[in-house]
Amino acid sequence: GPKVLQIPSHQIIDMGQMVTLNCDPVSNHLYFYWYKQILGQQMEFLVNFYNGKVMEKSKLFKDQFSVERPDGSYFTLKIQPTALEDSAVYFCASSLGVNTEVFFGKGTRLTVV
Amino acid sequence: GDQVEQSPSALSLHEGTGSALRCNFTTTMRAVQWFQQNSRGSLINLFYLASGTKENGRLKSTFNSKESYSTLHIRDAQLEDSGTYFCAAEAGPGGNNKLTFGQGTVLSVIP
């Protein structure tokens, strides 16, 4: 099936530092998403993004979080500064349209120490 | 409160047997997806339904938007079916494709 690629698969970072998680969505998809999962538990929606803009964000999408996709390159999630509670697996996803199937990457495990 | 209530939270099946997972929705959902999360953490798309029933091999899923539930039936369970299964639904209309996930069902298939 369609592949969403996430780089890196695992990142360890010192608390207070900045981290950028990279996502290469399915090539013809137009809608992009980030989700957060702690310890294999429930997946939580963070944000969705279309046409260069955030459409909707959840209360988990703190002020320290930002997303962008400059010039059609990687779709990124930046956390600056990081906090211990940001440790989780972050999944990127994409879809062709609004009312279409969503495909997920394999996740980036972020560990803040 | 939670819009998606998934049950059971855990399930053990002997190889060759089957069972059903269920998600109840507390608000109108436009579509539902089912995923298997494997031991490496990857989410595998199983089904996408806007209505009705779909079948793929030993798996079958139904989505009834009027009665606000979806089910995933597994038959003839195999060891490789072990993992965590999630339903995820988009509230409609105008849901922006924001998926609300269930709490997951940890399936263990035992010899």
Side-chain angles (χ1 to χ4, degrees):
Chain A
K3 299 290 186 187
V4 175
L5 301 176
Q6 289 190 242
I7 303 166
S9 58
H10 196 168
Q11 177 119 24
I12 301 172
I13 196 149
D14 291 327
M15 181 177 63
Q17 298 299 304
M18 181 193 75
V19 68
T20 300
L21 308 184
N22 297 299
C23 172
D24 188 9
V26 178
S27 61
N28 62 336
H29 284 187
L30 301 175
Y31 291 78
F32 314 117
Y33 317 84
W34 284 102
Y35 286 77
K36 178 180 180 181
Q37 186 181 38
I38 296 177
L39 292 176
Q41 296 178 12
Q42 196 165 354
M43 295 272 283
E44 303 277 5
F45 169 82
L46 285 176
V47 66
N48 54 10
F49 190 85
Y50 168 72
N51 198 25
K53 298 175 185 175
V54 169
M55 292 193 299
E56 186 175 354
K57 55 187 179 181
S58 74
K59 59 185 178 183
L60 296 179
F61 194 80
K62 304 182 298 183
D63 291 342
Q64 297 88 332
F65 289 21
S66 62
V67 291
E68 64 175 354
R69 195 187 187 205
D71 299 324
S73 61
Y74 285 141
F75 175 52
T76 63
L77 173 66
K78 183 185 294 185
I79 308 174
Q80 181 178 25
T82 51
L84 294 177
E85 61 264 26
D86 296 331
S87 294
V89 181
Y90 290 84
F91 286 89
C92 174
S94 69
S95 65
L96 182 61
V98 178
N99 299 328
T100 60
E101 189 171 3
V102 180
F103 294 88
F104 284 76
K106 294 185 177 183
T108 294
R109 180 177 298 278
L110 176 67
T111 303
V112 182
V113 297
Chain B
D2 286 350
Q3 298 178 325
V4 181
E5 299 164 353
Q6 185 172 346
S7 62
S9 57
L11 179 63
S12 289
L13 291 177
H14 284 283
E15 272 187 296
T17 64
S19 189
L21 285 57
R22 184 178 176 105
C23 284
N24 292 324
F25 311 119
T26 57
T27 190
T28 301
M29 297 299 185
R30 187 196 62 75
V32 66
Q33 291 190 229
W34 283 91
F35 301 91
Q36 179 195 23
Q37 188 167 36
N38 63 20
S39 58
R40 292 186 297 278
S42 298
L43 278 173
I44 301 166
N45 286 42
L46 298 177
F47 292 103
Y48 171 79
L49 301 106
S51 66
T53 298
K54 288 186 178 179
E55 194 163 354
N56 185 5
R58 296 177 291 101
L59 301 179
K60 182 172 73 174
S61 182
T62 295
F63 174 43
N64 187 321
S65 60
K66 286 187 178 178
E67 296 186 17
S68 297
Y69 75 89
S70 178
T71 57
L72 176 69
H73 290 261
I74 302 173
R75 63 176 176 83
D76 188 24
Q78 303 297 306
L79 295 176
E80 60 265 28
D81 294 333
S82 294
T84 303
Y85 290 76
F86 291 97
C87 67
E90 179 196 348
N96 276 340
N97 256 37
K98 180 181 75 173
L99 292 176
T100 300
F101 279 75
Q103 297 86 347
T105 297
V106 179
L107 173 64
S108 301
V109 181
I110 50 182

